[in-house]
Amino acid sequence: MPLAAKPYANEIIDFLKNQTPYDSNILVLGNDVKYYLKSGKTSNQKFFYQKPVLKQNPEFMKEFLHDVEENLPDYIILPGRQISMTSDSDFSALFNLIDKYYSVKTFEEGKVFTLTY
């Protein structure tokens, strides 16, 4: 007899689905696409999937940072397992933008940065 699928529980996905405007966009840091798929949100960024792509070419990193600065996403998701990105010098410009324009909400699974300007 097959096992029944367990319902997927994630506070960040629940927050995105139930407490954000329908047409808001997100950027998930790292390479965890489940937040896009399960929340129904899309990204306004070319590089919605950064690792390992941005590490392969410095020009991609520059383009990514420029794109984020020009098109600030409504929400930025930092999954818990990607927390090391906060100390990665390649991403320091991104976290400077986050410090400047976003407030943070912490969940068990990671952090959600909300655009506040």
Side-chain angles (χ1 to χ4, degrees):
M1 177 179 343
L3 296 174
K6 292 182 182 178
Y8 187 81
N10 184 293
E11 287 180 303
I12 293 175
I13 292 169
D14 290 343
F15 171 79
L16 293 170
K17 287 172 72 172
N18 302 317
Q19 297 182 37
T20 63
Y22 172 78
D23 61 349
S24 59
N25 58 69
I26 65 173
L27 172 64
V28 180
L29 300 180
N31 59 5
D32 200 341
V33 298
K34 76 176 171 230
Y35 294 95
Y36 298 110
L37 298 173
K38 301 253 183 208
S39 72
K41 303 292 183 187
T42 60
S43 178
N44 64 348
Q45 308 297 315
K46 175 180 178 179
F47 295 103
F48 67 94
Y49 183 97
Q50 303 89 43
K51 282 186 162 183
V53 176
L54 298 182
K55 292 294 202 169
Q56 303 301 315
N57 184 332
E59 289 303 313
F60 288 164
M61 180 63 81
K62 288 179 188 175
E63 187 177 342
F64 166 71
L65 293 171
H66 177 75
D67 192 31
V68 170
E69 191 168 11
E70 292 296 313
N71 304 294
L72 293 170
D74 299 316
Y75 300 91
I76 298 176
I77 314 308
L78 179 63
R81 69 177 169 278
Q82 300 295 336
I83 204 76
S84 64
M85 290 178 77
T86 60
S87 61
D88 186 330
S89 62
D90 290 334
F91 289 95
S92 63
L94 173 64
F95 285 101
N96 288 339
L97 280 174
I98 289 172
D99 288 343
K100 185 175 182 179
Y101 295 112
Y102 291 82
S103 63
V104 64
K105 184 170 178 76
T106 301
F107 295 90
E108 187 175 322
E109 296 92 5
K111 296 181 180 191
V112 174
F113 301 96
T114 303
L115 186 61
T116 59
Y117 82 105

